[in-house]
Amino acid sequence: MSTRVAPQVTRGEITLQPSYFTSSLYVHPLREDISQLIHTFAERYLQGDKEQPFALFKTIWREQGWVWLHFKVFDGRSRERFIGVTLRSFAERTADTEDPIARVVALFGMYTFFSTQPSTSLPPVHSLPHIAIPIDILRTMTTIPDFLTDSTLSPLRPYATHILTKLLDEQIFHILPESSLLAQNPAVLPREVFIRDDVDPATLFGQSSAGEPSDVMGTLATKPPAKKKGRPSKRDKAKKAKDAVVGLDRWLEKSTFAYPDFPIPEPEASTESRTTHTLIAHPPVATRSSYAVQKTELLDKLSLGDTGHPPGDVSNVVARANEAVLTRLRRIDEMAAEKGLEVGGEGGDMTGLSRVDKAVEELREGKSTGGILNLLEGAGSRLGDQAAPPLPTENV
């Protein structure tokens, strides 16, 4: 059995794996720190400190602790990935879609971080001799001085020109194919996404419980992992069951209605509050009444021929619609049965596919005029042979 290559460390010494620096644990905080560096420089630069822009940048660099970043890791493999990801994050902010000041600060940061790699230490510390960069990003980076012609930004132009000239003359850049070809390793940052136990993965990857986009991860562009093949493990089953219980508890909290405490004359009576579903405590009278009105208007229009059908063809139109709905529900039930699911018979004869089937059968036999349109009046159930109950006029 082969083992994964890992850094060699002595007992009791902690080291960071290379995958840590490509994960969200490092990439997201690093991007936030770069944004803070750009914001601080732009704020102080625009306030009037324009005489020595690069000196101002170095002052902020030291104040925010960037000078100690190279001492974060010393292992060779981890350090190579650490430097590469950091330089790549700076290079991302030099795109022509960024603000000109942000592009200049990102160029300053990339140059400073690369140039301050320790070279005189014992034992020697691993360093990178080149900066890997896609050719399209390099092209946009070399155009930075062209956007610094404004009187406010002109003091930055000679410094940006000098740094670019120095990097190009010393052949620091290791040019890669265009970004669209995903030639960088890893192709997308962050490659590994850390998910806390108290965060719903669906919400984390941009989907809320209602199916709407969420902004929890901000600019996260990573897709959720694909579903694993084969049988689910015991851990997956336990997690799925736990999530289902939590979701059920949340739904019950939202939909449970507590009866108010009325005075009870009997001393032996229980004082605990009774609870029931909110739809039972507060029936949707307005919704049901609106449905009844709209159904009546539909049948009236069909009888008058306002929908393009011949007048008096109400029964045929309603019958065809009932048959189409029943056929569709049967197909859905068959598809669910093929996957081991059950959708048509959970509520017995009073609900589901069986009741719809009975309602359509009543329409065929002439016992009903609406079929599934009369489900609220008891169609397809034991109430179907009785008179339709009147619509409630007030909450029970």
Side-chain angles (χ1 to χ4, degrees):
M1 181 180 68
S2 62
T3 58
R4 189 175 181 179
V5 179
Q8 296 181 355
V9 296
T10 59
R11 181 177 298 178
E13 185 178 348
I14 299 176
T15 186
L16 294 172
Q17 293 285 348
S19 58
Y20 167 80
F21 297 102
T22 58
S23 69
S24 59
L25 295 175
Y26 178 73
V27 175
H28 289 312
L30 174 63
R31 289 173 174 172
E32 293 177 1
D33 291 341
I34 294 176
S35 297
Q36 182 62 31
L37 176 66
I38 294 173
H39 174 75
T40 304
F41 178 87
E43 185 178 25
R44 293 172 61 171
Y45 176 80
L46 295 176
Q47 287 179 353
D49 196 354
K50 304 177 183 178
E51 297 298 330
Q52 298 291 333
F54 194 73
L56 172 62
F57 171 81
K58 290 193 297 183
T59 301
I60 299 174
W61 183 271
R62 289 192 296 268
E63 291 175 353
Q64 295 188 357
W66 288 90
V67 292
W68 307 109
L69 186 59
H70 278 292
F71 298 97
K72 188 176 184 67
V73 61
F74 294 98
D75 177 74
R77 291 179 61 251
S78 301
R79 185 169 176 80
E80 181 174 358
R81 185 54 56 89
F82 153 68
I83 297 175
V85 170
T86 305
L87 292 173
R88 178 176 172 179
S89 300
F90 275 112
E92 290 176 351
R93 300 301 300 270
T94 62
D96 52 6
T97 56
E98 297 282 346
D99 183 79
I101 294 183
R103 300 178 67 187
V104 173
V105 176
L107 177 62
F108 286 175
M110 183 186 67
Y111 169 74
T112 304
F113 183 77
F114 177 81
S115 303
T116 55
Q117 297 181 81
S119 58
T120 58
S121 59
L122 192 63
V125 178
H126 180 75
S127 61
L128 292 185
H130 301 285
I131 301 176
I133 185 171
I135 189 170
D136 55 325
I137 296 181
L138 179 60
R139 290 196 191 103
T140 58
M141 186 183 298
T142 56
T143 62
I144 291 178
D146 299 336
F147 292 86
L148 304 176
T149 56
D150 185 78
S151 58
T152 305
L153 304 177
S154 57
L156 299 171
R157 184 171 185 176
Y159 295 93
T161 303
H162 173 75
I163 290 176
L164 288 171
T165 302
K166 184 176 179 63
L167 293 175
L168 293 173
D169 291 344
E170 296 180 2
Q171 299 182 357
I172 297 299
F173 294 113
H174 177 70
I175 302 177
L176 302 176
E178 293 189 0
S179 303
S180 59
L181 299 177
L182 304 178
Q184 293 177 290
N185 184 24
V188 178
L189 287 177
R191 179 173 60 185
E192 301 87 2
V193 179
F194 172 76
I195 303 177
R196 301 193 309 270
D197 294 337
D198 57 341
V199 176
D200 184 12
T203 303
L204 185 66
F205 288 101
Q207 292 294 329
S208 63
S209 58
E212 297 178 353
S214 174
D215 294 332
V216 175
M217 291 297 292
T219 58
L220 178 62
T222 307
K223 296 182 180 180
K227 184 178 180 181
K228 294 186 294 184
K229 297 181 179 180
R231 296 181 180 180
S233 62
K234 292 183 178 179
R235 180 178 179 181
D236 294 337
K237 292 181 179 179
K239 186 177 185 303
K240 186 177 182 180
K242 181 179 178 181
D243 294 340
V245 172
V246 172
L248 179 60
D249 290 339
R250 292 177 180 174
W251 181 81
L252 290 175
E253 290 176 1
K254 295 179 180 179
S255 59
T256 300
F257 172 80
Y259 286 104
D261 294 332
F262 296 103
I264 304 176
E266 294 80 9
E268 68 276 6
S270 176
T271 58
E272 296 182 359
S273 61
R274 298 172 297 159
T275 61
T276 184
H277 195 274
T278 184
L279 292 179
I280 299 178
H282 300 286
V285 179
T287 303
R288 184 175 181 180
S289 300
S290 176
Y291 168 77
V293 172
Q294 293 180 15
K295 182 181 70 173
T296 304
E297 292 179 356
L298 173 63
L299 295 177
D300 292 342
K301 289 184 178 181
L302 287 174
S303 62
L304 297 175
D306 293 343
T307 59
H309 297 276
D313 196 27
V314 180
S315 58
N316 294 333
V317 174
V318 174
R320 289 196 298 270
N322 275 259
E323 296 291 346
V325 172
L326 179 60
T327 303
R328 180 63 175 170
L329 290 178
R330 285 176 176 172
R331 178 54 182 161
I332 293 175
D333 194 66
E334 293 175 359
M335 295 171 63
E338 293 175 358
K339 298 183 179 180
L341 304 176
E342 184 179 3
V343 297
E346 296 89 339
D349 294 338
M350 297 294 292
T351 60
L353 179 59
S354 59
R355 184 177 175 189
V356 174
D357 195 358
K358 290 181 180 179
V360 177
E361 184 65 27
E362 291 173 2
L363 179 63
R364 294 172 188 156
E365 297 175 356
K367 297 180 180 180
S368 172
T369 58
I372 60 176
L373 294 177
N374 295 337
L375 289 177
L376 285 179
E377 286 78 9
S381 65
R382 289 190 298 271
L383 299 176
D385 299 329
Q386 305 174 5
L391 296 176
T393 58
E394 60 181 3
N395 292 346
V396 180

